[in-house]
Amino acid sequence: MLVLNGVVDEEKAFLDYLRTHFLPERLTILLYLMPQSGLFPVNLLRNLGIRNIRMTHFQVLDMDLLPSLNAYRELLRLPPSLHRGNVAAILPVFFFDRKQVLNRCHSFLDCALLALEFLPANKSALEACLLARAC
């Protein structure tokens, strides 16, 4: 599920982009267009996404929040009783220090690649990142 937010004047650009890129059939895309820019109804967009999910599980992430590389593997290690029923898993998060890490990139792709390079792989690495004040 992906909810895209833009202004009415950008509709053609959104549709052209979506038409020219391969997107898997399992991905549902909602385009929420508004009359003017400058508004970002984050709660509305999140709730639209949640209401249109066709799966049994979902995860809400901000654009600047990435799960750890081993998050899926660790979730699979949870006891089998937590794989059934109504269960919420809360994943701890951290942010990189904007001055030490994020100021080194100038585009979303640059920042994503840099984040992967600095992404702590385990608790010890996260503690080291915190001590170095990079996280």
Side-chain angles (χ1 to χ4, degrees):
M1 167 55 55
L2 184 63
V3 181
L4 301 175
N5 174 239
V7 294
V8 174
D9 295 346
E10 297 172 331
E11 180 178 15
K12 183 180 180 329
F14 274 110
L15 295 176
D16 288 345
Y17 179 87
L18 294 172
R19 197 174 7 261
T20 59
H21 287 76
F22 170 76
L23 299 168
E25 285 186 29
R26 69 180 185 274
L27 180 63
T28 300
I29 299 175
L30 292 178
L31 183 55
Y32 187 83
L33 299 174
M34 300 171 39
Q36 63 186 19
S37 64
L39 301 173
F40 186 66
V42 66
N43 293 332
L44 173 68
L45 299 172
R46 180 201 59 233
N47 294 341
L48 278 173
I50 291 171
R51 277 197 295 272
N52 286 279
I53 290 172
R54 296 179 293 174
M55 303 301 210
T56 58
H57 297 76
F58 67 92
Q59 182 176 15
V60 178
L61 296 174
D62 285 342
M63 185 174 171
D64 61 347
L65 185 62
L66 301 173
S68 65
L69 297 176
N70 62 348
Y72 179 70
R73 185 173 63 245
E74 290 300 317
L75 286 172
L76 290 177
R77 289 181 47 190
L78 291 171
S81 62
L82 297 179
H83 292 212
R84 299 182 298 274
N86 295 331
V87 174
I90 299 173
L91 304 177
V93 299
F94 72 93
F95 290 92
F96 288 116
D97 180 87
R98 191 171 300 276
K99 292 178 185 150
Q100 286 201 34
V101 179
L102 298 181
N103 283 346
R104 298 182 192 181
C105 56
H106 304 290
S107 72
F108 179 73
L109 179 59
D110 285 349
C111 288
L113 293 173
L114 190 63
L116 287 175
E117 180 182 330
F118 283 92
L119 192 65
N122 53 44
K123 185 176 179 181
S124 298
L126 177 57
E127 288 172 345
C129 188
L130 290 167
L131 286 172
R133 299 192 180 275
C135 297

